[in-house]
Amino acid sequence: MAPERKSLTLPVSRNRGSVLHTRLHQLGSLENAHTINHTYSHADSDASLLEANISTEVCLTVLDTLSVFIMGFKAQLCADLGHNPLMKKVFQVLLCFLQIPQSETALKQVFTSLRTFIYKFPCTFFDGRADMCACLCYEILKCCNSKLSSIRSDAAHLLYFLMKSNFEYNGRKSFVRTHLQVVIAVSQLIADVIGIGGTRFQQSLSIINNCANSDKAVKHTAFPSDVKDLTKRIRTVLMATEQMKEHEKDPEMLVDLQYSLAKSYTSTPELRKTWLDSMAKIHSKNGDLNVLRTCGSTGMFRQGCCAFRVITPNIDEEAAMMEDVGMQDVHFNEEVLMELLEACADGLWKAERYELISDIYKLIIPIYEQRRDFEKLAHLYDTLHRAYTKVMEVMHSGKRLLGTFFRGFFEDEDGKEYIYKEPKFTPLSEISQRLLKLYSDKFGQDNVKMIQDSGRVNPKDLEAKFAYIQVTHVTPYLEEKELEERKTDFERSHNIRRFVFETPFTESGKRHGGVEEQCKRRTVLTTTHCFPYVKKRIAVMYQQHTDLSPIEVAIDEMSGKVAELRALCAASEVDMIRLQLKLQGSISVQVNAGPLAYARAFLDDACAKRYPDNKVKQLKEVFRQFVDACGQALAVNERLIKEDQHEYHDEMKASYKDLARELSNIMHEQISAVEGGTKSSLSDSLHIFNAISGTPTGTTLHGMPSSTSSV
């Protein structure tokens, strides 16, 4: 480029027509200089040079045009302290030259234009919202890592000018705004894995320090030491995040490290939010939309964090957040809060957690009502209408999958256990293979072994040269009282921190045996936080083991069958395929399988004496409930089947009667098959009256024989 091009910046004070004519003549002469004897490569090189010159010329022309526009509309640009749509558009045009690769010549002029822009509109960067200052710091710091030393030098000098201008704007007291935004920008660059922190970036930090030390205008102020503190803090952040490079391919570990860094900034919520935003990007990239993050200024509400507790009890940890001196610069107002809450509601919609949207809108609606913003209110209520419609749809269809949970045990991490939350319906094989590959890449394929069963791991049985992994499918664990309170599938999958899995075993040491010797160990795991959380894996805090004897296993299995059948019958839209499959498996009269196997093993006269009386009574009562539930299921099936299934239904009905007859013989009491599903309510009423009066269950009421008898 010709030397005179550097003059094409601010302000324009020459004949535009003659300059443009000269430029067009220069560009045209390049094309005219081509001859037929030029090789293809030479012509291609000239074409590239032509395109480069045109690109640079476009950049310089736009900068000149912006200069003229700024001088003509300065008053409009200064409106609202420079925070207006027109200023935003002008700033975006300037910033795009740092975001889109430019030639070295063009970038020098861009830095000059930005320096002039900062000088003319300091309030835009150092007062009100920090959006523009934040964007500028982010892009300048990216340039501070440039491969070209001249670009790094110019970027470092521009950043120093921004700091000094902020210092002067604040009456030579501090440059809090720029200080905070630079640290946030560094954190964002690290989180985006831009690759800063090397020698080139360190050189740019040294240039900034040298500028502060050699600047006589601020020599006797606190500015040089403040700049030194800032660069030192940046280097500390870079060192603290060095581990992230090692775990780029391990999303769980990467999020864990970022969350640890976020927790270290509890005194600076703006920085904490930066790292939480970074974690959200990782989750979104991996398709983990159900991972919930809470952001916003809870201090805007009188009730503080409690306003969000209905959404997640994890919000309590945000209450411990303190504010340092840097918070005086953070510009949170009602408008910012509305933006964050509406973004949160959008995230909940994408995660299919429609039930929570109303809790967010309950915080927003009163503010819009106070403003009389009826257009916004109409939009919010329309979204609520669609959200509740979605809730009804997914409840009827049962097609919403809110995630699958797994327990991960890692011997190489001192036996640590985590609960993983995977998207939708993730099979055990998928997460097992993913973790196996992850740790094989880390330690070597021959050094990692997968423990296939879900039983307890004895460290003495493991070889020291291998890293062991154990993955087990777990389900949310809710006690009976919680099940009564949490009636929907969503409520039973949201804000949960206890999980259960079961391991079969026998006293002889085998995993499986006959029903009379089959035991199982129920393990309940409690995590440190509730799901969903800002992380997709949460450490296990403690675990509780309960061993079930063979008769207790029978009671548990039969109670589960009763609950499943009743749930299928009570559904608003009955799943006929599942109902028929459950019925077919329940009313089988095979000798060595199904419910009758439990009855013969524990309720037959010869066997019942070996077990505690209270357990035998409990199992008998479960079988009575089981017969009732099967009768109800058959009645529902008969009501809903098509004509071509009547023969199949009659076969099941016959099997059901055989089942009731077999149970009557084993239990030595009359177990009547329910006809038409009418027995259940009567039976339940009899049990209630008997319980109140103390009458044994085998007595009669008004001459009507009961289908149950005392044990």
Side-chain angles (χ1 to χ4, degrees):
M1 299 297 292
E4 71 269 22
R5 288 194 185 227
K6 64 183 179 181
S7 64
L8 291 179
T9 56
L10 313 177
V12 179
S13 58
R14 55 188 176 277
N15 188 321
R16 295 288 300 169
S18 61
V19 172
L20 181 60
H21 178 76
T22 304
R23 296 295 178 271
L24 291 173
H25 177 72
Q26 289 173 348
L27 294 172
S29 64
L30 278 172
E31 188 175 358
N32 294 334
H34 286 211
T35 66
I36 197 165
N37 295 324
H38 284 177
T39 64
Y40 176 79
S41 59
H42 190 186
D44 193 47
S45 174
D46 286 346
S48 298
L49 180 61
L50 179 63
E51 289 178 6
N53 289 341
I54 292 175
S55 175
T56 300
E57 189 65 35
V58 168
C59 174
L60 299 178
T61 302
V62 172
L63 291 176
D64 279 355
T65 306
L66 275 180
S67 168
V68 175
F69 183 85
I70 287 168
M71 286 190 290
F73 295 91
K74 188 173 182 180
Q76 290 89 330
L77 289 167
C78 288
D80 297 328
L81 294 175
H83 295 280
N84 56 75
L86 183 61
M87 172 62 83
K88 190 175 181 180
K89 290 291 183 184
V90 172
F91 178 69
Q92 284 175 346
V93 173
L94 279 171
L95 206 62
C96 77
F97 289 118
L98 296 182
Q99 296 166 339
I100 301 171
Q102 303 291 329
S103 68
E104 187 176 358
T105 304
L107 274 177
K108 285 183 177 293
Q109 306 309 320
V110 171
F111 287 133
T112 302
S113 296
L114 282 169
R115 195 158 29 243
T116 306
F117 194 74
I118 294 166
Y119 177 78
K120 286 187 173 183
F121 305 102
C123 58
T124 302
F125 297 96
F126 311 129
D127 212 338
R129 294 185 66 165
D131 300 13
M132 295 190 189
C133 185
C135 293
L136 184 59
C137 288
Y138 183 86
E139 299 301 335
I140 294 174
L141 284 167
K142 280 175 65 176
C143 293
C144 286
N145 198 44
S146 171
K147 293 180 180 179
L148 300 176
S149 59
S150 61
I151 300 302
R152 292 199 303 272
S153 177
D154 288 344
H157 281 91
L158 178 60
L159 187 57
Y160 175 76
F161 179 77
L162 185 67
M163 294 177 191
K164 186 179 176 182
S165 299
N166 192 179
F167 184 71
E168 298 287 352
Y169 187 83
N170 291 342
R172 293 198 157 205
K173 293 177 182 178
S174 66
F175 60 102
V176 174
R177 165 68 60 87
T178 311
H179 183 289
L180 182 61
Q181 296 306 324
V182 165
V183 177
I184 290 172
V186 169
S187 300
Q188 287 176 333
L189 287 168
I190 294 168
D192 295 342
V193 198
I194 298 297
I196 67 169
T199 306
R200 296 195 298 264
F201 191 77
Q202 297 290 349
Q203 287 174 351
S204 297
L205 294 180
S206 298
I207 292 173
I208 294 171
N209 263 327
N210 292 336
C211 287
N213 293 328
S214 60
D215 194 339
K216 295 180 180 179
V218 291
K219 187 175 182 180
H220 300 293
T221 66
F223 185 69
S225 61
D226 288 346
V227 171
K228 185 178 179 180
D229 288 342
L230 173 59
T231 54
K232 185 178 179 181
R233 188 171 183 181
I234 291 172
R235 289 190 171 104
T236 302
V237 172
L238 292 172
M239 289 173 62
T241 55
E242 195 64 30
Q243 279 183 292
M244 291 186 189
K245 294 179 182 178
E246 302 174 16
H247 299 285
E248 288 179 26
K249 297 180 180 179
D250 185 349
E252 287 85 15
M253 183 61 76
L254 186 60
V255 167
D256 283 350
L257 291 171
Q258 293 197 354
Y259 183 65
S260 297
L261 199 59
K263 286 186 73 175
S264 69
Y265 289 124
T266 51
S267 62
T268 313
E270 188 76 357
L271 273 170
R272 176 174 170 77
K273 179 180 173 295
T274 299
W275 284 105
L276 292 176
D277 285 342
S278 172
M279 291 161 63
K281 288 178 184 176
I282 294 174
H283 292 312
S284 179
K285 181 181 177 182
N286 295 325
D288 300 318
L289 297 178
N290 267 308
V291 179
L292 185 68
R293 68 185 176 97
T294 304
C295 61
S297 177
T298 56
M300 294 294 296
F301 293 103
R302 191 174 302 172
Q303 60 268 47
C305 289
C306 294
F308 298 91
R309 205 174 193 286
V310 66
I311 301 169
T312 171
N314 296 323
I315 195 66
D316 289 344
E317 67 184 21
E318 301 293 322
M321 220 166 46
M322 301 176 295
E323 295 186 358
D324 65 3
V325 291
M327 280 303 293
Q328 62 183 281
D329 177 65
V330 178
H331 191 73
F332 272 123
N333 58 18
E334 199 171 78
E335 202 59 45
V336 175
L337 179 65
M338 294 298 99
E339 291 175 11
L340 292 173
L341 290 176
E342 289 184 26
C344 183
D346 290 340
L348 291 171
W349 184 281
K350 291 176 183 176
E352 296 183 328
R353 294 185 176 266
Y354 310 111
E355 289 87 343
L356 298 177
I357 294 176
S358 63
D359 294 314
I360 294 292
Y361 281 179
K362 284 174 186 175
L363 305 173
I364 303 175
I365 287 173
I367 296 174
Y368 285 138
E369 286 178 341
Q370 189 177 12
R371 295 181 184 178
R372 311 293 196 275
D373 193 336
F374 301 113
E375 185 178 350
K376 280 284 188 181
L377 286 169
H379 171 71
L380 293 183
Y381 281 111
D382 177 61
T383 305
L384 276 176
H385 170 73
R386 290 187 292 113
Y388 284 126
T389 303
K390 277 286 188 182
V391 171
M392 291 188 293
E393 285 179 12
V394 295
M395 285 181 68
H396 290 157
S397 67
K399 292 181 179 179
R400 176 174 58 170
L401 300 171
L402 293 172
T404 316
F405 298 93
F406 300 93
R407 161 189 169 264
F409 168 85
F410 301 95
E411 180 271 334
D412 71 294
E413 297 183 23
D414 299 323
K416 282 187 178 179
E417 288 181 291
Y418 299 92
I419 297 297
Y420 284 77
K421 186 177 188 301
E422 294 296 305
K424 302 288 184 181
F425 175 73
T426 303
L428 178 62
S429 58
E430 183 178 320
I431 184 175
S432 298
Q433 287 301 315
R434 180 172 72 82
L435 293 176
L436 182 61
K437 184 180 185 306
L438 182 66
Y439 281 84
S440 295
D441 293 343
K442 188 181 294 186
F443 301 114
Q445 189 172 355
D446 298 331
N447 300 321
V448 180
K449 280 191 175 183
M450 181 70 72
I451 300 173
Q452 297 299 333
D453 60 68
S454 59
R456 285 185 182 179
V457 177
N458 186 353
K460 295 180 181 179
D461 298 335
L462 305 179
E463 297 183 55
K465 64 178 182 179
F466 294 110
Y468 290 89
I469 304 171
Q470 185 185 45
V471 183
T472 311
H473 178 261
V474 297
T475 55
Y477 177 75
L478 299 169
E479 294 180 349
E480 289 186 14
K481 185 179 179 182
E482 290 178 293
L483 287 171
E484 291 175 5
E485 295 172 353
R486 299 178 180 231
K487 298 186 182 299
T488 66
D489 288 340
F490 171 78
E491 291 169 350
R492 294 177 181 182
S493 302
H494 184 71
N495 286 341
I496 48 175
R497 59 182 302 191
R498 292 201 295 172
F499 302 86
V500 64
F501 70 95
E502 296 174 344
T503 310
F505 72 96
T506 63
E507 296 294 341
S508 62
K510 296 179 181 179
R511 280 178 57 82
H512 298 282
V515 291
E516 68 281 349
E517 59 176 339
Q518 185 66 63
C519 305
K520 69 179 177 182
R521 178 173 294 113
R522 178 174 292 149
T523 304
V524 178
L525 306 170
T526 304
T527 56
T528 56
H529 295 84
C530 294
F531 279 104
Y533 187 44
V534 291
K535 300 191 292 183
K536 64 174 288 186
R537 75 169 185 180
I538 304 178
V540 173
M541 187 165 56
Y542 54 81
Q543 54 180 257
Q544 179 184 355
H545 301 281
T546 305
D547 288 348
L548 302 183
S549 65
I551 191 170
E552 289 174 329
V553 171
I555 293 169
D556 187 64
E557 291 291 329
M558 293 305 301
S559 298
K561 289 181 181 294
V562 172
E564 287 177 347
L565 285 169
R566 286 178 175 172
L568 286 169
C569 293
S572 55
E573 291 185 10
V574 178
D575 188 334
M576 291 297 293
I577 296 176
R578 284 184 62 194
L579 180 67
Q580 291 176 357
L581 286 173
K582 288 291 178 186
L583 261 177
Q584 192 173 13
S586 297
I587 60 181
S588 170
V589 291
Q590 295 178 33
V591 177
N592 297 318
L596 279 179
Y598 288 124
R600 293 189 178 99
F602 303 111
L603 301 181
D604 189 79
D605 288 342
C607 304
K609 296 175 183 178
R610 287 180 279 177
Y611 304 102
D613 288 344
N614 63 324
K615 296 297 179 183
V616 174
K617 290 179 181 178
Q618 190 176 351
L619 182 57
K620 284 187 176 182
E621 180 57 33
V622 172
F623 266 106
R624 296 181 192 112
Q625 295 174 9
F626 174 69
V627 172
D628 286 351
C630 288
Q632 291 178 46
L634 276 171
V636 171
N637 187 69
E638 186 175 18
R639 191 174 71 248
L640 298 177
I641 58 172
K642 298 178 181 178
E643 291 183 4
D644 60 346
Q645 289 185 312
H646 282 296
E647 185 177 347
Y648 174 61
H649 176 77
D650 291 340
E651 290 177 4
M652 286 198 296
K653 199 170 181 179
S655 296
Y656 172 58
K657 290 179 179 179
D658 291 342
L659 171 71
R661 186 169 54 254
E662 284 284 340
L663 285 174
S664 297
N665 295 334
I666 295 170
M667 296 169 61
H668 300 295
E669 62 180 78
Q670 182 61 38
I671 304 293
S672 301
V674 181
E675 296 291 341
T678 58
K679 174 176 177 291
S680 178
S681 58
L682 176 60
S683 175
D684 289 345
S685 300
L686 288 174
H687 284 304
I688 293 171
F689 284 123
N690 290 340
I692 294 172
S693 62
T695 306
T697 55
T699 60
T700 60
L701 183 65
H702 297 294
M704 294 176 60
S706 171
S707 65
T708 60
S709 62
S710 60
V711 181

